[in-house]
Amino acid sequence: MTEQPEEEINLPDLSVEELLELMMDDLYDGYADEVVTEVQEALARGMTPYDVLTQGLVAGMDIVGADFRDGILFVPEVLMAAKAMKAGMAVLRPLLAETGAPKIGKMVIGTVKGDIHDIGKNLVGMMMEGAGFEVIDLGINNSAEKYLAAIEAHQPDILGMSALLTTTMPYMRVVIDALKEKGIRQNLIVLVGGAPLNAAFAEDIEADAYCRDAAVAVETAKKLMALRKART
Ligand code: B1M
């Protein structure tokens, strides 16, 4: 990544590409306030919230992920970047959720037991809200019991599970088995996602679908909800 320039940067002087580049750099460096200002500037330029999210924040986080993997960044730096990402997402969240449309379904979502990664899960929740779903977010580190209790309390159409670690993704099977044991598996659409998963894994644990990213999660949820409605 490029060094932070010493001179004052005047955001309106930057092209959109330079602005996005700066947003990615500042996210990488964990500068939350700067990221918020740049997100606001990009929106003021007429970029859609979705484009700011994907071309600025998610693109920046991808670089953080690669450098974390390669041992260039370490946990404290990644945490700072994650904080900056969350600050930017907080600006976009109400805009992405602003549809005014009637709710088209209800989703309970959470990261599985043993796993504290929540950025991707939060993004999925935001995009689902934006698409007109009611979203109940259980946060991180959810046991099967917590999922079951939330399903009983909220009666969702969809259960979404996220896992970012190869060591925690098998826990999704534990949750699905618990749904089967309770006799409620067939009442729910189960969607799973997270970087280490794939479609074969989702099929193996008998989830309804693997969602590569938040946009796919929305499309899949809408498609499976429509199929379900057509059957009833
Ligand atoms: Co972690 N971490 N981390 N980490 N971390 C990864 C996942 C890792 C791949 C990094 C690496 O080595 N390259 C690696 C896992 C390796 C493996 O399992 N094979 C790893 C590790 C090892 C760890 C620790 C064990 C490190 C340590 O302590 N030694 C530790 C684990 C702690 C734990 O969970 N018990 C740990 C800790 C952390 C931080 C706390 C520092 C921080 C998390 C902060 C937070 O989430 N609040 C962190 C981060 C940020 C990452 C990376 C860099 C970025 C993850 C991220 O937010 N990506 C990550 C590297 C990477 O993934 N490239 C890494 C951006 C996000 C938008 O993408 O989450 O994939 P993603 O979500 C996407 C899709 O996957 C999908 O849609 C999302 C949006 O498009 N999706 C869903 C996700 N969930 C979905 C659910 C759905 C549908 C779609 O439901 C329907």
Side-chain angles (χ1 to χ4, degrees), residues 97-174:
E98 204 175 75
T99 63
K103 296 293 167 219
I104 55 174
K106 203 190 269 189
M107 177 191 226
V108 161
I109 189 167
T111 302
V112 297
K113 189 171 169 182
D115 201 320
I116 62 165
H117 295 87
D118 66 356
I119 295 172
K121 183 262 302 162
N122 293 346
L123 264 179
V124 173
M126 279 165 54
M127 298 279 292
M128 291 288 292
E129 277 179 8
F133 286 85
E134 181 182 346
V135 176
I136 295 114
D137 187 344
L138 305 181
I140 54 172
N141 193 24
N142 286 288
S143 63
E145 293 72 27
K146 278 201 201 157
Y147 284 112
L148 288 176
I151 290 163
E152 193 164 329
H154 300 285
Q155 301 290 317
D157 306 289
I158 303 173
L159 171 65
M161 288 189 279
S162 180
L164 263 287
L165 300 172
T166 45
T167 48
T168 56
M169 56 189 257
Y171 195 76
M172 291 177 169
R173 188 195 295 278
V174 175

Side-chain angles (χ1 to χ4, degrees), residues 32 43 91 124:
L43 291 170
V91 178
V124 173

Side-chain angles (χ1 to χ4, degrees), residues 104-110 124 128 131-138 147 150-151 154-161 179 184-192 208-209 211 216-226 228-229:
I104 55 174
K106 203 190 269 189
M107 177 191 226
V108 161
I109 189 167
V124 173
M128 291 288 292
F133 286 85
E134 181 182 346
V135 176
I136 295 114
D137 187 344
L138 305 181
Y147 284 112
I151 290 163
H154 300 285
Q155 301 290 317
D157 306 289
I158 303 173
L159 171 65
M161 288 189 279
L179 297 176
I184 56 170
R185 170 66 187 90
Q186 69 287 354
N187 302 347
L188 289 158
I189 296 166
V190 179
L191 302 181
V192 293
D208 290 295
C211 307
V216 170
V218 169
E219 273 167 36
T220 311
K222 282 181 168 172
K223 194 178 78 193
L224 295 183
M225 282 292 292
R228 208 162 103 132
K229 283 213 170 105

